Amino acid sequence: MKKLLILIALTSLITSCDPFFDCIIDNRPQLNDKVLSNGFRDFYYEDSLNAEINNDPTDNSYYYYFSVDGLPAGMDYESYGRELVIFGTPRVSGHFTLDVYLNVEAPESYYDDDDGLFEDGDDLCKDSTSRQYNLRIQ
């Protein structure tokens, strides 16, 4: 009877939707660790951040959606694939904390150059992340 209970427990553990087993390979989005360059009030500023899917060589196939809170007046952002560009002419000086949010969507399928086949899009352990960056405008 004890062996049967252990077998039932192991079977339910393996077949359950436990996040631990869904994320054995930690493939989640991440924003790079970067120190933003300092800027100057009333002068054009531009810097960029990059994102990736951890442990996934096909991270260029994903769709990346960024949003940024905390930009000083006169500044904006745009994204190009995995790159987030922060730009503009700041109208105020100070220290700003930028909250960068990233949502990622896996492709339905993609072409794998290594084996020449179309692959189904992978499920991610997590499809969003965020990070704070400091921006100094003098």
Side-chain angles (χ1 to χ4, degrees):
M1 183 67 167
K2 186 176 181 181
K3 288 182 183 180
L4 179 60
L5 289 175
I6 291 173
L7 181 61
I8 291 170
L10 284 175
T11 302
S12 67
L13 185 64
I14 291 172
T15 60
S16 71
C17 294
D18 188 342
F20 174 76
F21 288 105
D22 292 342
C23 293
I24 292 174
I25 298 175
D26 185 18
N27 65 340
R28 65 183 73 219
Q30 62 185 55
L31 293 159
N32 67 329
D33 184 21
K34 180 172 182 165
V35 175
L36 295 174
S37 59
N38 292 336
F40 297 92
R41 187 180 61 147
D42 297 326
F43 286 91
Y44 183 78
Y45 176 91
E46 187 172 307
D47 205 346
S48 64
L49 306 169
N50 289 302
E52 66 181 353
I53 306 298
N54 193 34
N55 295 315
D56 192 338
T58 64
D59 53 1
N60 282 332
S61 301
Y62 290 79
Y63 302 102
Y64 294 80
Y65 303 99
F66 294 92
S67 64
V68 179
D69 290 337
L71 286 169
M75 297 192 65
D76 206 350
Y77 66 93
E78 289 183 4
S79 64
Y80 306 96
R82 296 176 5 181
E83 181 182 28
L84 172 69
V85 179
I86 298 168
F87 65 94
T89 305
R91 295 190 302 247
V92 294
S93 58
H95 293 272
F96 302 90
T97 300
L98 307 184
D99 293 308
V100 177
Y101 302 95
L102 171 63
N103 288 308
V104 178
E105 188 176 303
E108 299 232 359
S109 64
Y110 61 89
Y111 185 75
D112 187 345
D113 291 331
D114 292 337
D115 58 15
L117 299 173
F118 279 95
E119 305 276 339
D120 287 334
D122 293 330
D123 289 328
L124 298 173
C125 292
K126 192 175 173 187
D127 61 2
S128 65
T129 190
S130 64
R131 188 174 199 142
Q132 287 188 332
Y133 295 91
N134 294 310
L135 174 61
R136 182 176 176 208
I137 303 296
Q138 301 175 356

